[in-house]
Amino acid sequence: MVERALFLGEKYVDNVNLPVRGRPPELTNDTFFREQLDVTTLFPASIATSRGSFDREELSRFSFPREAVGGLTERFLQGWGRGLLHLLGNVLPYRVHANALSALAEQWQPADESAVDALAREAVFEGVGMYWILLNSFRRWTDDGGMGDSTPDVVKAWNHLTSKRDAFRQLRATEYLSEEFAGDDTAACDDFFSVVSTQACQAGLALTFATLARKSGAKGEGIVGVARSLTAAINAGLAGRGSSGRSRRLCLAQRVEHPFNRVRNMNPDRSVEFRYQWLEIAVTPEGLAAYAEAGGRVDAELLLELRNLARTRYATLLIDERVQEARRGRNLSRDDVLLAATVEVTAALRTALSEWFNIGGSEFDEWAADADLSLAESSDSESDEDL
């Protein structure tokens, strides 16, 4: 998340309609990093160090004097650090996940600290070291065919740990879906959380945050305000309903009817597509109202324009993936399958946006005409349009 906010580069943060493929060259160009931390207001042009002067314009993620560490750390925490922590602590699904873990910890109090139960609890709540010890021990034991007269305590502890997963899943689904929770919703809720827990989805949230911070011109503590207003917009958007009265809280789940989220590859490059999805949630009528009330500084018209451009990027990706599928193992050109792929993807997206976001047909058609999806290009191509 930090990399997306500080090192991705102006090109990809400011432009919501560009794909990220591989490691962008901007990640090794630290001009953007210096701009994001506003180092001109933090250090003089020449920084005095024990080894002589250090040029402020040479500060980078890998090159900095020891004397600058304190200032850089404080500046990061003042704005971007606190902002990212606010998002992870307050955007509804992340807050609920943490709450469910706390509730499980309260319920799970082993009577005997030397017992198997205590080992399992330690693996979950007191550090990853014990977790990996138990998992690796279980794997070795099963690989050996479960040999021996008795099951080792570490294997029993792992089995006990996995038995607690159902309790945790139930706690999380009950809190997240609240009064809408039904017994068969746990699987759909698990699907949703399996998406929001990915690096791609979280990096997309950080990228959304960075984009809005740039558009609003926020600096220092003002960056935290951007995180607060974005959080308010997302939470209000998730609390809304689609055209059929469908709760929006599971809108990023994939194993649902009419899925809105069709991102297949959850690598960090897909943060661009998840930026679009977070924007779509945030610019719902409920989201825009909450954003304004929380002091959001990007006007609604620009937010909607960003959403529309980002949606075009997303649709283009889906069309390109569908084209590749249609051509696989067949002697067909891109032009041979492009129209059918475009119609199929557009129809599915139209239905999903109606079901989840209450976007009517005329509004969708207006966007699609402006996007000109019939001329969708491969996701490997890039536009330099700046917004």
Side-chain angles (χ1 to χ4, degrees):
M1 294 183 77
V2 173
E3 186 170 85
R4 259 42 189 178
L6 295 187
F7 299 105
L8 186 60
E10 178 180 355
K11 178 179 180 181
Y12 297 103
V13 172
D14 290 355
N15 293 281
V16 299
N17 57 339
L18 296 183
V20 176
R21 298 293 178 262
R23 189 174 182 83
E26 281 80 359
L27 286 175
T28 57
N29 180 346
D30 290 284
T31 301
F32 185 72
F33 158 70
R34 292 190 293 272
E35 185 176 338
Q36 291 294 78
L37 291 184
D38 195 19
V39 297
T40 59
T41 64
L42 186 60
F43 300 113
S46 181
I47 304 169
T49 78
S50 60
R51 298 185 177 183
S53 297
F54 188 96
D55 188 344
R56 181 181 64 203
E57 296 308 304
E58 296 299 317
L59 285 170
S60 72
R61 67 190 306 184
F62 299 121
S63 178
F64 48 85
R66 181 181 304 172
E67 290 80 357
V69 171
L72 289 171
T73 301
E74 183 177 352
R75 176 60 59 86
F76 169 74
L77 292 175
Q78 179 188 42
W80 296 106
R82 285 174 56 205
L84 290 170
L85 287 174
H86 183 86
L87 290 170
L88 289 176
N90 293 279
V91 169
L92 186 60
Y94 301 116
R95 188 179 73 212
V96 166
H97 185 88
N99 289 346
L101 281 173
S102 297
L104 181 65
E106 282 289 319
Q107 295 177 10
W108 189 359
Q109 297 291 341
D112 181 355
E113 292 186 0
S114 66
V116 165
D117 191 40
L119 285 177
R121 190 180 189 282
E122 179 184 344
V124 175
F125 296 109
E126 298 180 28
V128 297
M130 181 58 70
Y131 178 91
W132 289 109
I133 289 172
L134 297 186
L135 175 57
N136 290 331
S137 298
F138 173 79
R139 285 174 173 170
R140 282 195 298 271
W141 189 72
T142 52
D143 287 345
D144 290 340
M147 302 294 289
D149 296 333
S150 62
T151 303
D153 281 350
V154 286
V155 174
K156 290 179 182 178
W158 176 257
N159 289 334
H160 189 60
L161 183 157
T162 57
S163 73
K164 291 290 185 179
R165 287 176 179 167
D166 287 342
F168 169 74
R169 292 167 59 230
Q170 186 81 4
L171 286 167
R172 184 174 66 182
T174 302
E175 179 174 350
Y176 185 62
L177 298 177
S178 189
E179 69 278 359
E180 299 168 2
F181 176 73
D184 59 352
D185 286 334
T186 304
C189 203
D190 289 346
D191 182 29
F192 173 85
F193 276 94
S194 73
V195 172
V196 298
S197 66
T198 63
Q199 185 178 358
C201 190
Q202 293 176 17
L205 180 60
L207 189 52
T208 310
F209 169 40
T211 298
L212 296 190
R214 297 271 296 180
K215 298 302 180 185
S216 66
K219 300 287 184 182
E221 293 186 2
I223 294 171
V224 185
V226 175
R228 293 195 184 102
S229 57
L230 175 59
T231 298
I234 289 172
N235 288 350
L238 287 170
R241 294 181 177 278
S243 60
S244 60
R246 190 180 199 177
S247 171
R248 205 174 285 143
R249 293 197 179 203
L250 297 177
C251 65
L252 297 183
Q254 295 186 308
R255 293 190 291 273
V256 292
E257 187 178 9
H258 306 304
F260 162 61
N261 173 22
R262 294 175 178 266
V263 176
R264 299 177 184 175
N265 191 340
M266 295 292 178
N267 66 55
D269 290 352
R270 292 301 187 233
S271 60
V272 169
E273 282 70 49
F274 279 107
R275 171 171 56 186
Y276 156 63
Q277 294 182 22
W278 288 118
L279 280 171
E280 192 74 80
I281 295 168
V283 302
T284 56
E286 304 93 336
L288 288 174
Y291 180 78
E293 186 176 347
R297 294 168 54 187
V298 180
D299 66 71
E301 184 177 349
L302 178 54
L303 286 171
L304 290 168
E305 190 172 354
L306 289 168
R307 187 277 311 271
N308 288 346
L309 281 171
R311 187 193 288 166
T312 302
R313 171 74 258 149
Y314 179 62
T316 302
L317 166 75
L318 298 182
I319 291 169
D320 190 54
E321 289 181 343
R322 186 68 191 95
V323 165
Q324 292 176 30
E325 287 177 0
R327 294 180 64 194
R328 192 169 294 126
R330 304 167 68 188
N331 187 24
L332 296 172
S333 70
R334 179 177 176 80
D335 289 342
D336 290 335
V337 298
L338 178 58
L339 179 59
T342 301
V343 170
E344 180 183 332
V345 167
T346 304
L349 184 57
R350 179 189 180 114
T351 301
L353 289 174
S354 173
E355 286 288 316
W356 293 103
F357 296 96
N358 204 19
I359 292 175
S362 59
E363 181 182 348
F364 181 87
D365 291 342
E366 183 179 352
W367 162 76
D370 289 341
D372 198 8
L373 294 177
S374 64
L375 299 178
E377 298 179 354
S378 168
S379 61
D380 290 329
S381 66
E382 295 186 359
S383 163
D384 288 324
E385 181 182 353
D386 188 7
L387 177 68

